[in-house]
Amino acid sequence: MEPPPAPVEDAVARARDLVLAQEFRPAVALLRAHLRTHPDDSLAWRRLAGALIGLGDQHAAIDAAGRAIDADPGDTVAWRYRGLARHLLGRHRESYADARRAVDLAPDDPEGLNLLAVNVLTVDRDVARFRELYRRALTVDPSNAPARHSAGLDRRIRRRGAAALVLLAVYPPWCVLFLRWLAVDDGSTDAGWTMWPTVAGVAVLIVCAAVGRTSGVVPLVLTWRAIVGAACVGGAGAAGAVWGGTRTATMAAAFGLTAVAVSLLFALTFRLRHRRAGRLPEEDATGGPTRESARVA
């Protein structure tokens, strides 16, 4: 006589334990076997989606999460899993819609809030909204790994923005002072006085380049007010340096305005590159910490 089959809850619960232990293949096999006899089990489809995300099969995860949503449109986690899988495939706008729906259903779900935050940053490049969302996630759960990862990304965004503004304030004066030094390099006091600020400028450039080395993985966030302020500081520095060396107001004004123009040109270039940046690399936007959200529901 064959033993009675295990209760439905046992198979799905066992699959969850396997996913938590990162044994994704056995979990997928167990859930697929279960779903052959219980094709309307939304919880099993949802957990299958989570296991498939852990396994790296995002296409199958999207299908499984979709089946869970069809069976239970109010399943917040299923919406989040589908959004995460789509994000990992680079289908960011679809992921954005899923994450927004997940947050609509569960406004205090930290994983859903963080996934929406990442999508807001990736699609809209809206850093203010990104910060609001991941901070809400941290308020709900201060130990949430994906949200803490987003906080680290935010620190790099701030660091890069500050470095870019310093570069806009320092690099144009450095250029004009260097040109000034080349023009008057006759061993005079004026020439030497003009060169010292360029030496300081080179040092600042080196430091800013090191601070802003994450330029390829985080967006550059600069407002026009900050850009104009940095350009004016650079122009004033260039004008002051040339005035100190030449005591000629017209030349100082010309160099100062040139420095401002160069700063604004560089800023425009930065913003155009930022606009073309389309999306963040997935490793930085949804790397290891975010995937933990697929292992707990």
Side-chain angles (χ1 to χ4, degrees), residues 14 30 47 54 58 63 70 81 85 90 97 105 118 153 177 191 202 236 239-240 246 260 270 289:
R14 174 57 181 157
L30 180 61
R47 289 191 174 160
Q58 312 305 337
D63 179 68
D70 291 340
Y81 282 176
L105 290 169
V118 170
L153 179 60
L177 290 174
V202 171
T246 65
V260 171
F270 289 164

Side-chain angles (χ1 to χ4, degrees), residues 165-175 197 200-202 204-205 208 230 233-234 263:
L165 288 175
V166 172
L167 287 174
L168 291 175
V170 171
Y171 191 65
W174 178 84
C175 291
V202 171
V204 173
L205 290 173
C208 287
V233 170
S263 284

Side-chain angles (χ1 to χ4, degrees), residues 36 38 44 60 94 97 106 122 132 136 144 168-169 263 267 290 292:
R36 280 195 288 271
H38 301 84
E94 295 172 274
T122 306
E132 175 194 346
R136 278 175 57 191
N144 183 262
L168 291 175
S263 284
T290 356
E292 292 185 14

Side-chain angles (χ1 to χ4, degrees), residues 50-260:
L52 289 166
I53 290 173
L55 199 59
D57 191 348
Q58 312 305 337
H59 292 285
I62 291 170
D63 179 68
R67 295 287 296 269
I69 291 168
D70 291 340
D72 181 6
D75 189 335
T76 303
V77 179
W79 285 99
R80 170 160 50 86
Y81 282 176
R82 192 170 73 174
L84 177 58
R86 283 174 164 171
H87 195 95
L88 292 170
L89 287 174
R91 294 161 58 177
H92 302 296
R93 295 191 181 278
E94 295 172 274
S95 174
Y96 195 165
D98 285 342
R100 189 160 44 198
R101 179 59 178 159
V103 171
D104 287 343
L105 290 169
D108 294 327
D109 176 27
E111 283 81 12
L113 287 167
N114 187 72
L115 180 61
L116 181 58
V118 170
N119 277 292
V120 164
L121 184 63
T122 306
V123 177
D124 293 340
R125 314 296 278 185
D126 186 343
V127 177
R129 178 70 172 149
F130 162 72
R131 287 171 179 155
E132 175 194 346
L133 288 165
Y134 88 72
R135 286 171 179 169
R136 278 175 57 191
L138 286 174
T139 300
V140 175
D141 180 9
S143 65
N144 183 262
R148 290 170 67 88
H149 186 259
S150 292
L153 179 60
D154 187 22
R155 287 192 292 272
R156 282 184 287 168
I157 291 172
R158 291 179 182 275
R159 187 170 69 231
R160 186 186 176 207
L165 288 175
V166 172
L167 287 174
L168 291 175
V170 171
Y171 191 65
W174 178 84
C175 291
V176 298
L177 290 174
F178 184 69
L179 293 174
R180 169 66 184 158
W181 175 74
L182 290 178
V184 300
D185 185 17
D186 55 3
S188 67
T189 302
D190 287 348
W193 190 92
T194 305
M195 188 55 191
W196 277 111
T198 71
V199 174
V202 171
V204 173
L205 290 173
I206 293 172
V207 171
C208 287
V211 170
R213 67 185 181 276
T214 57
S215 61
V217 296
V218 297
L220 178 63
V221 182
L222 296 177
T223 64
W224 278 112
R225 179 179 296 181
I227 288 169
V228 171
C232 289
V233 170
V242 174
W243 167 259
T246 65
R247 301 296 177 180
T248 304
T250 54
M251 183 175 292
F255 273 88
L257 291 174
T258 301
V260 171

